[in-house]
Amino acid sequence: MLKDFSRPDDGLNKDERKAAKKEYQKQLVSLLQPLKEAKIPVIILVEGWASSGKGSLINELISEIDPRFCSVFSLDKALYDCDRYPFIYPFFKAIPEAGKMLFMDSGWLMRAVNEDIAGKYDKKTRAARIQSIRLFERQLKNNGYLVIKFFVNCSRKTQLETQERLLADKNTEWRVTRADILQNDNYKNYQDAFDSWMESTKGTGWHILDGDNRGTVSYDAFKIIADTLSRAIADGKYDAPEYEESFSPSDPLPSLDKCDLSVCIDDTTYKKELKKLQKEISELHDIIYRKKIPVVICYEGWDAAGKGGNIRRLAKPLDPRGFDTYPIASPEPHEKARHHLWRFWTKIPRSGHVAIFDRTWYGRVMVERIEGFCSENEWRRCYNEINEFEKELSDWGAVIIKFWIHIDKDTQLARFNDRQNTPEKQWKITDEDWRNREKWPQYEQAVSDMLKKTSTEFAPWHIIESVDKKYARIKALRIVRDALKRASKDD
Amino acid sequence: MLKDFSRPDDGLNKDERKAAKKEYQKQLVSLLQPLKEAKIPVIILVEGWASSGKGSLINELISEIDPRFCSVFSLDKALYDCDRYPFIYPFFKAIPEAGKMLFMDSGWLMRAVNEDIAGKYDKKTRAARIQSIRLFERQLKNNGYLVIKFFVNCSRKTQLETQERLLADKNTEWRVTRADILQNDNYKNYQDAFDSWMESTKGTGWHILDGDNRGTVSYDAFKIIADTLSRAIADGKYDAPEYEESFSPSDPLPSLDKCDLSVCIDDTTYKKELKKLQKEISELHDIIYRKKIPVVICYEGWDAAGKGGNIRRLAKPLDPRGFDTYPIASPEPHEKARHHLWRFWTKIPRSGHVAIFDRTWYGRVMVERIEGFCSENEWRRCYNEINEFEKELSDWGAVIIKFWIHIDKDTQLARFNDRQNTPEKQWKITDEDWRNREKWPQYEQAVSDMLKKTSTEFAPWHIIESVDKKYARIKALRIVRDALKRASKDD
């Protein structure tokens, strides 16, 4: 791709190109407001050789854009605190809000190539990275993101000249890192790596800019951006296809029908077991922490099913330095304006830590589906997006445990009434709870779909019978104990 | 304080204490909803010796609290990415929303003591830290935060026994860090340091818990928390005093009256100067980056004064890896629910980086004052809070540059009309702009107060005459150039 690249002559002379560039730049500025109105979030990924002028290009691209419409991402800055997170994490974390543009000074291509050349990837990891990048780009596209990918190409000679110039001045020498020099020393290897990674992550395609021909770089970039944005605004909302990847389902596949809610536990056994399990979990948490295994525990369930009490019993033996509990409510405006998984991606635990979610990303296929807070296409696509998300976490090494805290309708009624009639519990019950209750059959259908479509080998659902809350706690803690034990024995 | 501490006997036997503790715990749970309704944010700071059981105490304290009401802070975790930020930064970043409780597993006391014992403080730094902590606690209090401070005290012997027990097991040995062992080896030094720092940061007072007497620790903590919360809820909103610290004003003290708006620049000079200044700033940015000097640049000004274009000229020569521009709109719900400076504290640049704010924390003494979005007491107190904030940044080493982009009322009208009549500019003008314009005299008063009260030696205001936008850009860039030059020559 890169070796054979040479920019076709467009027949413009220097002045003509300069004038045309001005026009494209003007056009870009005039598209900002329509873009905002169309609620299209845009990512402009600028990849390329070290010292090829990516930074200057971005500065020129944004030079007429009001900061309200754009922000700039820098790979170096973004990786600062990301060594204990999945590959995609720093990029997902940075995605812009609808109607805004993010300019990225290197991103997933450079990260992958650097890590690959540094010998960090075996064959399996390499395949997983390619898969991560593809899924990430597809999810972005399906969720309305416009991604424009550039690669600033330059010859070994041009790169060397630039680096020598920068190194000659003590104030600019920091711009040339060891890794940059390594690129020039091993230009051929890097070229092969860039080529192969670009080929594997073609997606919507790469635009190669000719860095040896400085005068054309920003002209070409402005033209491509202006053209692509105009087209996207004219096309309107991208109609994402429904698609289904095959993920191996968990065995057994949990089902509400097979569920016996009469199970219970006596008080003496409960107390003894609880103590024992909490001690075991506390010890396992130490191992998990030491071995840097990330753990994600999800709680979903009927209102008043006993999620809160269950979570508290689980959290008690955990060291506060190593876990966080996230209560999930409806999304705030800055969350709603992004990919629906963004607010969860930004909460995943650092490796070695535990994150407990009190309600989760499954809200989209439950309450949002039922209340019509998202389109049918959106929630239908979502099962797959969630599986991909959880697969990503699992491939990274995370233990994922998902609980559906289950009760029957009568039990819920009794607990609602109890809340209503007990002054200190009244805050726990709202009109919304009563309204949701009326939609029990729809929720039942949604739960059943969710269990069927998202109980995978790597992230199985567990139904926790919770008419007897004590039974439920013991069951959940046992599952956590077993999962942590398995994980801490691996490797 | 610590040496002479022994817990007075309360005459309770073990069972009585256990029963009483249960009651306090119940009371705490019953106070959560009233706390939320009273919109009181609460910080429970648990400081104390290493291996004194702070983690277990916090776990017990939160064990019956629904995660929707509380979260846990851990100093180790919080410091992970904070070495290039001011002392107070990780704590300010973590402050809870109104109605929620944050439990802190060590905080500013432990950080200060550790850094002090490690020999990082000279006399001046120590005094600055004490000042930072005092101001931080005072600002929290004045902004409605309830801070309860505990210190878990224990003897050298108890600490040693615990550490030996933890070290004996390979899964718990990581809990005892080198720093923890150092504490036991140098118990006496640490005791003196704790004593002296606690004395200096008494604020609302410390509650010392007797860690040698394990049975009483959580009992005492529950009692104190329950009592303090009840009192706070009964008392209602804390009525913060207006107060004024003396900060040396900048010389000259800028004033709108003395401002000659007829200044202008010819096009040739403009182009030449702009190019030269951008080149100089680009070079200075390299030095700033290398020397790890943080830079904060604030833009305030009349609507249509030309802030955006000014910022773009300034941003152009900056390397995207080293700066961010933050457009500031009205606060989102999660921002409104916290100290008004929280959303700015969380955006300050890492040392060596530049942050440009397109509108700033001065919103409170401008639009919020005039529109009544905050109380009079709040905006009156705010000048001082802002000075303290900027002083904190300045003491940390930041260069702070503040611009008031100035035009007269007729110029604004002309620009508004131009925006209204030019299709691609229409998005820039809203009904709100016209409404604000009607309040010109009130804004003029607010600007004048702001300039008088917050133009300090360490963070002076610069009025930028912007009827001729080109003149304004050159003037602003010159000021930035000069400030960066000065800063890069220091040390």
Side-chain angles (χ1 to χ4, degrees):
Chain A
M1 219 175 227
L2 299 180
K3 264 165 284 192
D4 316 324
F5 175 80
S6 72
R7 186 181 181 277
D9 186 10
D10 54 16
L12 296 181
N13 69 31
K14 206 177 150 193
D15 285 341
E16 288 165 344
R17 188 171 299 115
K18 209 172 152 188
K21 180 166 87 178
K22 262 233 140 85
E23 281 313 304
Y24 286 123
Q25 182 165 24
K26 262 196 198 154
Q27 196 190 340
L28 168 57
V29 171
S30 73
L31 289 169
L32 297 171
Q33 187 59 18
L35 198 67
K36 193 180 158 190
E37 280 157 19
K39 293 194 179 155
I40 301 172
V42 180
I43 296 175
I44 313 274
L45 175 63
V46 180
E47 297 275 10
W49 291 94
S51 324
S52 65
K54 300 189 294 293
S56 322
L57 171 60
I58 289 180
N59 267 5
E60 191 176 344
L61 293 176
I62 64 172
S63 63
E64 293 295 324
I65 301 182
D66 190 285
R68 272 166 288 185
F69 293 107
C70 77
S71 59
V72 178
F73 169 100
S74 145
L75 183 63
D76 300 355
K77 221 157 74 178
L79 291 183
Y80 189 75
D81 186 25
C82 288
D83 48 324
R84 287 170 68 182
Y85 287 101
F87 180 82
I88 282 299
Y89 175 80
F91 311 115
F92 217 116
K93 194 173 160 185
I95 61 171
E97 294 186 37
K100 297 198 176 174
M101 301 178 78
L102 177 72
F103 290 83
M104 296 180 70
D105 187 354
S106 296
W108 45 97
L109 179 71
M110 185 62 98
R111 183 177 195 185
V113 166
N114 279 341
E115 293 180 355
D116 195 3
I117 292 218
K120 287 189 186 168
Y121 293 167
D122 55 16
K123 210 175 147 192
K124 202 181 132 205
T125 316
R126 193 175 299 112
R129 289 289 172 279
I130 292 172
Q131 182 69 353
S132 298
I133 293 173
R134 283 189 188 155
L135 294 185
F136 177 53
E137 292 190 356
R138 183 171 68 189
Q139 282 211 7
L140 287 177
K141 186 176 178 189
N142 286 345
N143 286 279
Y145 281 74
L146 186 65
V147 182
I148 306 178
K149 300 195 294 185
F150 291 109
F151 186 94
V152 186
N153 194 19
C154 73
S155 67
R156 187 171 185 181
K157 187 163 155 279
T158 309
Q159 189 184 39
L160 186 65
E161 283 165 8
T162 312
Q163 292 188 348
E164 279 173 348
R165 186 171 45 75
L166 293 170
L167 285 169
D169 180 337
K170 86 167 183 217
N171 287 322
T172 53
E173 64 177 358
W174 64 267
R175 287 170 177 273
V176 184
T177 62
R178 279 181 59 84
D180 297 349
I181 294 169
L182 205 70
Q183 261 194 24
N184 199 262
D185 290 346
N186 300 282
Y187 187 88
K188 179 83 186 45
N189 289 350
Y190 272 93
Q191 195 174 48
D192 290 343
F194 279 132
D195 255 341
S196 128
W197 280 92
M198 285 168 76
E199 181 62 35
S200 308
T201 59
K202 262 191 304 202
T204 47
W206 287 95
H207 300 283
I208 301 178
L209 303 172
D210 188 353
D212 285 348
N213 196 348
R214 279 284 169 104
T216 64
V217 171
S218 60
Y219 165 78
D220 286 346
F222 272 121
K223 180 173 187 322
I224 291 164
I225 295 173
D227 288 350
T228 315
L229 296 191
S230 318
R231 230 177 309 121
I233 293 166
D235 289 352
K237 206 172 171 315
Y238 171 71
D239 214 4
E242 272 183 47
Y243 64 103
E244 207 156 334
E245 298 273 313
S246 56
F247 293 100
S248 309
S250 67
D251 179 26
L253 198 62
S255 151
L256 295 186
D257 307 335
K258 292 178 217 144
C259 191
D260 173 11
L261 281 171
S262 69
V263 285
C264 62
I265 193 169
D266 70 274
D267 216 46
T268 323
T269 318
Y270 169 69
K271 279 187 180 148
K272 218 182 75 199
E273 272 294 287
L274 183 67
K275 211 167 169 178
K276 180 171 150 271
L277 283 164
Q278 287 182 331
K279 189 159 176 291
E280 289 177 303
I281 288 173
S282 167
E283 287 163 7
L284 285 161
H285 190 210
D286 284 333
I287 304 180
I288 289 292
Y289 193 92
R290 186 165 54 80
K291 292 199 171 182
K292 295 207 165 54
I293 300 167
V295 180
V296 175
I297 304 176
C298 305
Y299 277 84
E300 287 285 353
W302 298 103
D303 288 332
K307 285 196 305 300
N310 207 307
I311 290 173
R312 286 201 300 279
R313 266 49 170 215
L314 171 60
K316 196 164 178 184
L318 302 177
D319 188 308
R321 279 168 294 184
F323 89 99
D324 282 296
T325 307
Y326 295 106
I328 302 299
S330 47
E332 297 224 18
H334 69 293
E335 297 169 331
K336 226 181 232 157
R338 291 184 170 89
H339 188 300
H340 63 98
L341 291 174
W342 179 77
R343 61 187 183 129
F344 304 107
W345 263 104
T346 51
K347 290 184 181 68
I348 62 170
R350 175 175 302 153
S351 63
H353 285 240
V354 177
I356 302 175
F357 289 90
D358 184 356
R359 301 203 185 276
T360 66
W361 38 96
Y362 285 95
R364 176 149 280 211
V365 295
M366 306 274 296
V367 58
E368 292 187 39
R369 162 185 172 172
I370 290 167
E371 299 294 335
F373 295 154
C374 65
S375 74
E376 179 164 345
N377 177 292
E378 280 172 326
W379 64 258
R380 284 197 183 278
R381 252 190 300 123
C382 186
Y383 298 109
N384 217 37
E385 290 173 348
I386 285 176
N387 285 337
E388 290 168 353
F389 169 46
E390 293 176 354
K391 182 73 168 43
E392 197 66 27
L393 298 183
S394 162
D395 284 349
W396 164 57
V399 177
I400 305 168
I401 305 169
K402 301 186 295 194
F403 293 127
W404 174 258
I405 310 296
H406 195 46
I407 51 172
D408 58 81
K409 220 179 154 185
D410 291 345
T411 304
Q412 189 187 55
L413 183 62
R415 292 188 188 164
F416 275 15
N417 283 331
D418 177 52
R419 288 181 175 186
Q420 200 85 65
N421 301 328
T422 317
E424 357 26 303
K425 290 186 187 166
Q426 270 164 16
W427 65 269
K428 285 189 170 192
I429 181 101
T430 64
D431 290 350
E432 204 188 323
D433 294 333
W434 288 105
R435 278 197 303 274
N436 288 345
R437 183 175 158 74
E438 281 168 29
K439 296 183 180 164
W440 187 281
Q442 289 101 300
Y443 274 98
E444 218 160 26
Q445 183 60 50
V447 176
S448 152
D449 289 349
M450 172 183 88
L451 294 174
K452 212 156 52 195
K453 286 171 188 284
T454 63
S455 194
T456 55
E457 241 176 4
F458 49 89
W461 276 103
H462 302 275
I463 300 176
I464 304 293
E465 301 83 351
S466 190
V467 171
D468 179 1
K469 288 182 186 177
K470 289 175 179 167
Y471 176 90
R473 291 166 195 164
I474 297 299
K475 180 167 176 182
L477 264 68
R478 265 191 202 140
I479 290 169
V480 171
R481 192 253 336 253
D482 293 345
L484 297 189
K485 205 181 248 172
R486 267 196 312 278
S488 64
K489 273 192 190 137
D490 287 354
D491 62 73
Chain B
M1 219 177 226
L2 298 180
K3 263 165 284 192
D4 316 324
F5 174 78
S6 72
R7 186 182 182 277
D9 188 9
D10 54 17
L12 296 181
N13 67 31
K14 206 177 150 192
D15 286 341
E16 286 166 346
R17 186 171 299 116
K18 209 171 153 186
K21 179 167 88 178
K22 260 231 140 90
E23 280 312 304
Y24 285 122
Q25 182 165 23
K26 263 196 197 153
Q27 196 191 339
L28 168 57
V29 171
S30 73
L31 289 170
L32 297 171
Q33 187 58 19
L35 199 66
K36 193 180 159 191
E37 280 157 19
K39 293 194 178 156
I40 301 171
V42 180
I43 296 176
I44 313 274
L45 175 63
V46 180
E47 298 274 10
W49 291 94
S51 324
S52 66
K54 299 189 295 291
S56 321
L57 171 61
I58 288 179
N59 267 6
E60 191 176 344
L61 292 176
I62 64 172
S63 62
E64 294 295 323
I65 300 181
D66 190 285
R68 272 167 288 186
F69 293 107
C70 77
S71 59
V72 178
F73 168 99
S74 145
L75 183 63
D76 300 354
K77 221 156 73 177
L79 291 184
Y80 189 76
D81 186 25
C82 288
D83 48 324
R84 287 170 68 181
Y85 287 101
F87 180 82
I88 281 300
Y89 175 80
F91 311 115
F92 217 116
K93 194 173 163 186
I95 61 170
E97 292 187 37
K100 298 199 176 172
M101 301 176 79
L102 177 72
F103 290 84
M104 297 181 70
D105 187 354
S106 295
W108 46 97
L109 179 71
M110 184 64 97
R111 184 175 195 187
V113 166
N114 278 340
E115 293 179 355
D116 195 2
I117 291 217
K120 287 189 187 168
Y121 294 167
D122 55 16
K123 209 175 148 193
K124 200 181 135 206
T125 316
R126 193 176 298 112
R129 289 290 172 278
I130 292 171
Q131 182 69 353
S132 298
I133 293 173
R134 284 190 188 154
L135 295 184
F136 177 53
E137 293 190 357
R138 183 172 69 189
Q139 283 212 6
L140 287 178
K141 187 176 178 189
N142 286 344
N143 285 280
Y145 281 73
L146 186 65
V147 182
I148 307 177
K149 301 195 293 185
F150 291 110
F151 186 92
V152 186
N153 193 20
C154 73
S155 67
R156 188 171 185 179
K157 188 164 154 277
T158 308
Q159 188 183 39
L160 187 63
E161 283 165 9
T162 311
Q163 292 188 347
E164 279 173 348
R165 186 170 47 72
L166 293 170
L167 286 168
D169 180 337
K170 85 164 184 217
N171 286 321
T172 54
E173 64 178 358
W174 64 266
R175 287 169 177 274
V176 184
T177 62
R178 278 182 60 84
D180 297 350
I181 293 169
L182 205 71
Q183 262 194 24
N184 199 262
D185 290 347
N186 301 282
Y187 187 88
K188 179 81 185 45
N189 289 350
Y190 272 92
Q191 195 174 47
D192 289 344
F194 278 132
D195 255 342
S196 127
W197 279 92
M198 286 168 75
E199 181 61 34
S200 307
T201 59
K202 262 191 305 200
T204 47
W206 287 96
H207 301 283
I208 301 177
L209 302 172
D210 187 353
D212 285 348
N213 195 347
R214 279 282 169 108
T216 64
V217 171
S218 60
Y219 165 79
D220 286 345
F222 272 121
K223 182 173 186 320
I224 291 164
I225 296 173
D227 287 350
T228 315
L229 296 191
S230 318
R231 229 178 309 121
I233 293 166
D235 288 353
K237 205 170 171 320
Y238 172 71
D239 214 4
E242 270 182 50
Y243 65 102
E244 208 156 333
E245 298 273 314
S246 56
F247 293 100
S248 309
S250 66
D251 179 25
L253 198 62
S255 150
L256 296 185
D257 307 335
K258 292 177 216 144
C259 191
D260 173 11
L261 282 170
S262 70
V263 284
C264 61
I265 193 169
D266 70 274
D267 216 45
T268 323
T269 319
Y270 169 69
K271 279 187 181 147
K272 217 183 74 198
E273 272 294 288
L274 182 66
K275 210 165 170 182
K276 178 169 151 275
L277 283 164
Q278 287 182 331
K279 187 156 177 293
E280 289 177 303
I281 288 174
S282 167
E283 287 163 7
L284 286 162
H285 189 210
D286 284 333
I287 304 180
I288 289 291
Y289 193 92
R290 186 165 55 81
K291 292 199 171 182
K292 294 205 166 54
I293 300 166
V295 180
V296 175
I297 303 176
C298 305
Y299 276 85
E300 288 285 353
W302 298 104
D303 289 331
K307 285 195 306 299
N310 207 307
I311 290 174
R312 286 201 301 279
R313 267 49 171 213
L314 171 60
K316 194 162 179 186
L318 302 177
D319 188 307
R321 280 169 294 185
F323 88 99
D324 282 296
T325 307
Y326 295 106
I328 302 300
S330 48
E332 297 224 17
H334 69 291
E335 296 169 332
K336 226 182 231 157
R338 290 184 170 88
H339 188 298
H340 65 98
L341 291 174
W342 179 77
R343 62 187 184 127
F344 304 107
W345 263 103
T346 53
K347 290 185 182 68
I348 62 170
R350 174 176 303 152
S351 63
H353 286 240
V354 177
I356 302 174
F357 289 89
D358 184 356
R359 300 206 185 276
T360 65
W361 39 95
Y362 286 95
R364 176 149 280 211
V365 295
M366 306 274 296
V367 57
E368 292 187 39
R369 162 185 173 173
I370 289 166
E371 299 294 336
F373 295 155
C374 65
S375 73
E376 180 165 344
N377 176 293
E378 280 172 326
W379 66 257
R380 284 197 182 278
R381 252 191 298 122
C382 186
Y383 299 107
N384 217 37
E385 290 173 348
I386 286 176
N387 285 336
E388 289 169 355
F389 169 47
E390 294 176 353
K391 183 74 167 43
E392 197 66 28
L393 297 182
S394 162
D395 285 350
W396 163 56
V399 177
I400 306 168
I401 305 168
K402 302 186 296 195
F403 292 127
W404 174 259
I405 309 297
H406 195 46
I407 50 173
D408 58 82
K409 220 179 153 182
D410 291 343
T411 304
Q412 188 187 56
L413 182 63
R415 292 188 187 164
F416 275 16
N417 283 331
D418 176 52
R419 288 180 175 187
Q420 201 85 63
N421 301 328
T422 317
E424 36 328 339
K425 290 186 188 167
Q426 270 164 14
W427 64 270
K428 284 188 169 192
I429 181 102
T430 64
D431 290 350
E432 204 189 322
D433 294 333
W434 288 105
R435 278 198 302 276
N436 288 345
R437 182 174 160 74
E438 282 169 28
K439 296 182 180 165
W440 187 281
Q442 288 102 301
Y443 274 98
E444 216 161 28
Q445 183 59 51
V447 175
S448 150
D449 289 349
M450 173 183 87
L451 294 174
K452 212 158 51 195
K453 286 171 188 282
T454 63
S455 194
T456 55
E457 239 175 6
F458 48 89
W461 275 104
H462 303 275
I463 299 176
I464 304 293
E465 302 82 352
S466 189
V467 171
D468 180 0
K469 288 183 187 177
K470 289 175 180 168
Y471 176 90
R473 291 167 196 164
I474 297 299
K475 179 166 178 184
L477 263 68
R478 266 190 202 142
I479 290 169
V480 171
R481 192 250 341 248
D482 293 345
L484 296 188
K485 204 180 247 173
R486 266 196 312 278
S488 64
K489 276 194 187 134
D490 287 354
D491 65 73

